[in-house]
Structure formats: structure tokens, C-alpha cells
Amino acid sequence: EVQLVESGGGLVQTGGSLRLSCVGSGLPFDDYAIGWFRQAPGKEREGVSCIGRRHTGEYYADSAKGRFTISSDNAKNTVYLQMNALKPDDTAVYYCAADLTLFPDLATIDDWDYWGQGTQVTVSS
């Protein structure tokens, strides 16, 4: 059974930082692109960042560029999302997802194969 488990969310003040973790099991982690997505109340889910299979590239949404950094530790089957300079607009449930593709696309959310349950990030003003 494939499982993706997110952790690291919480409540921070504007300008603060959080590091999210996504731990995968039941799949060859290195063969999958891993992405981070978020969904704020009343809004559609949107892509934040992803890392290509076997470290073939890192991709960021415009909202994340310069503030968020994605990284992976395949020995631990874990992908991290370091989030700095957080803003109230970053408040959302953050999900990680896995996609068996050579060309991960943050915009094609329906194409991602597996999803975690999410972790809440709240940024207070």
C-alpha cells in the first residue's frame, strides 16, 4: 500500500518559517516526482513546488520562488519543503503527492498518482 504522510505544519507569525516533511512508503521513492500542493479555504488546490524523479530538477510556482526550497533525502524516503518569509496568504492545507512521470507538472493536479492527507499551515498577521 502506498502511503504519503505529511508533517511539520503549524501556526507561525508573518515572516516566520516552517519545514514540511513528506515521508513515502510502498513505492520506489526515487522513481517518482514528488510535489507539494496547497489548498486554502474556498480556493482550488494549487501547485507549490515539485522535485523530479532522481533529482532531475526542482520546480516552483511563482508564489514560492525565492521563499520556499524543496529538497529530498531518498535514503529516508522523505521530501522536505522549507518555507521562509511566510505570509498570511500561505495559510492552507499542504499536501504532498507522487507522480510516476519524467515531466512533473504542478498545473496538472489530476495527473498526480498518490496523495497524502495534508498538514495545516496557518500564518498569522
Side-chain angles (χ1 to χ4, degrees), residues 2 9-10 18 28 34-35 41 65 68 71-72 78 81 86 96 98 101 103 114 122-123:
V2 175
L18 284 173
I34 305 296
K65 288 178 182 176
F68 296 179
S71 62
S72 67
T78 302
L81 185 68
L86 284 162
C96 69
T101 178
F103 306 105
Y114 302 103
T122 303
V123 184

Side-chain angles (χ1 to χ4, degrees), residues 13 19 30 34-35 38 44 51 60-61 89 91 97 99 108 113 118 120:
Q13 293 184 331
R19 188 177 79 157
D30 203 27
I34 305 296
R38 67 186 183 185
E44 294 186 352
I51 190 165
Y60 296 92
D89 284 349
T91 295
D99 189 3
T108 56
D113 300 315
Q120 176 71 47

Side-chain angles (χ1 to χ4, degrees), residues 33-101:
I34 305 296
W36 283 99
F37 298 79
R38 67 186 183 185
Q39 188 165 18
K43 295 187 177 181
E44 294 186 352
R45 193 169 297 188
E46 63 178 4
V48 177
S49 179
C50 66
I51 190 165
R53 55 189 296 185
R54 302 180 185 178
H55 304 269
T56 51
E58 300 169 8
Y59 309 89
Y60 296 92
D62 288 344
S63 59
K65 288 178 182 176
R67 299 188 301 129
F68 296 179
T69 302
I70 193 168
S71 62
S72 67
D73 184 342
N74 284 342
K76 297 181 178 180
N77 273 13
T78 302
V79 170
Y80 304 98
L81 185 68
Q82 177 68 44
M83 304 189 296
N84 299 327
L86 284 162
K87 310 172 183 178
D89 284 349
D90 295 317
T91 295
V93 177
Y94 283 70
Y95 301 88
C96 69
D99 189 3
L100 185 63
T101 178

